[in-house]
């Protein structure tokens, strides 16, 4: 059961001064109908300029807000006005009421989403699946390393000074990225910038 908030607490939720001022005008029972609270949420319908009242519901624990008005402010003036009415006029927002259908549907959806998130967070890790993923990654890295070894040997056979038949290393580096070996990819990209007398040493280290 959520205790009724103070006016100061409600106004502290407003996104700006204009919203606080507008909410103050909606803090009386005159524009509201079918308002109520069950201690966990507050709901009500606010008369606006159109023929259909704005349906407003606030879930208190989070808090979270839902209103059928077109405002992009969050919370909107109707949610703030309803909270001010709930805070200062218990008779206008009676305790122990049953939520209206539209409010109950929204609250139920929120509860279901919350339970789904909690279930996903609490789900135990699958060690077998993790082992399979690690094995697949290890195989890709090993294949990439084997390919790099062949490329290096090919360069040596052609001669380090002859780069006309081998092309740049960027293509090989891209293959290392595909093989999930980013460390090798970084080292390979650096080969094109190395002077010739450093190449054999770097090939051996790779």
């Amino acid at each position: 059961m959520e205790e009724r908030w103070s006016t100061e607490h409600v106004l502290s939720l407003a996104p700006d001064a204009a919203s606080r001022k507008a909410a103050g005008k909606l803090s009386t029972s005159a524009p509201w109908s079918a308002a109520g609270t069950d201690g966990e949420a507050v709901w009500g319908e606010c008369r606006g300029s159109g023929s259909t009242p704005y349906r407003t519901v606030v879930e208190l624990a989070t808090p979270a807000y839902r209103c059928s008005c077109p405002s992009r402010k969050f919370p909107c003036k109707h949610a703030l006005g309803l909270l001010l009415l709930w805070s200062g006029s218990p008779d206008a927002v009676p305790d122990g009421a049953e939520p209206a259908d539209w409010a109950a549907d929204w609250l139920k959806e929120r509860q279901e989403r919350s339970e789904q998130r909690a279930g996903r967070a609490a789900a135990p890790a699958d060690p077998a699946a993790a082992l399979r993923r690690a094995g697949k990654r290890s195989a890709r890295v090993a294949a990439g390393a084997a390919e790099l070894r062949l490329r290096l040997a090919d360069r040596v056979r052609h001669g380090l000074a002859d780069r006309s038949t081998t092309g740049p290393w960027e293509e090989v580096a891209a293959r290392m990225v595909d093989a999930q070996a980013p460390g090798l990819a970084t080292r390979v990209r650096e080969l094109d910038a190395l002077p010739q007398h450093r190449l054999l040493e770097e090939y051996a280290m790779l």
Side-chain angles (χ1 to χ4, degrees):
M1 179 73 68
E2 185 79 31
E3 293 185 1
R4 300 202 179 212
W5 301 344
S6 67
T7 298
E8 291 75 15
H9 179 61
V10 173
L11 294 178
S12 72
L13 302 172
D16 52 37
S19 296
R20 287 192 289 272
K21 182 177 180 180
K25 297 178 181 179
L26 297 174
S27 62
T28 66
S29 59
W32 291 96
S33 61
T37 179
D38 60 359
E40 297 180 359
V42 184
W43 58 87
E45 298 184 359
C46 185
R47 185 176 65 252
S49 56
S51 58
T52 303
Y54 296 123
R55 291 176 167 179
T56 308
V57 56
V58 180
E59 186 263 299
L60 297 169
T62 307
Y65 318 91
R66 176 74 172 87
C67 185
S68 60
C69 76
S71 175
R72 295 184 178 181
K73 294 184 179 181
F74 195 77
C76 68
K77 64 182 181 180
H78 303 100
L80 291 169
L82 177 60
L83 286 172
L84 288 173
L85 181 65
W86 168 70
S87 169
S89 303
D91 292 340
V93 187
D95 284 307
E98 287 292 326
D101 290 344
W102 52 268
D105 289 344
W106 180 76
L107 292 167
K108 181 180 178 182
E109 289 174 4
R110 278 189 54 81
Q111 179 64 27
E112 290 174 349
R113 289 196 299 269
S114 177
E115 291 174 353
Q116 289 171 0
R117 288 193 296 269
R120 287 194 295 268
D126 185 345
L131 188 61
R132 288 193 296 271
R133 289 193 296 269
K136 290 179 180 179
R137 183 181 185 279
S138 179
R140 284 193 292 266
V141 173
E147 180 179 349
L148 176 58
R149 188 178 296 111
L150 291 174
R151 297 290 188 110
L152 291 168
D154 189 53
R155 295 289 176 111
V156 172
R157 281 195 300 271
H158 281 87
L160 299 182
D162 183 9
R163 301 190 182 187
S164 61
T165 61
T166 54
W169 282 101
E170 183 58 39
E171 177 188 350
V172 182
R175 295 281 296 163
M176 297 304 102
V177 172
D178 292 340
Q180 293 187 301
L184 286 178
T186 300
R187 295 283 295 277
V188 166
R189 287 192 181 98
E190 296 171 351
L191 291 175
D192 282 321
L194 288 178
Q196 184 177 335
H197 70 275
R198 289 274 313 282
L199 285 176
L200 188 58
E201 177 186 355
E202 189 65 21
Y203 282 16
M205 292 178 66
L206 279 168

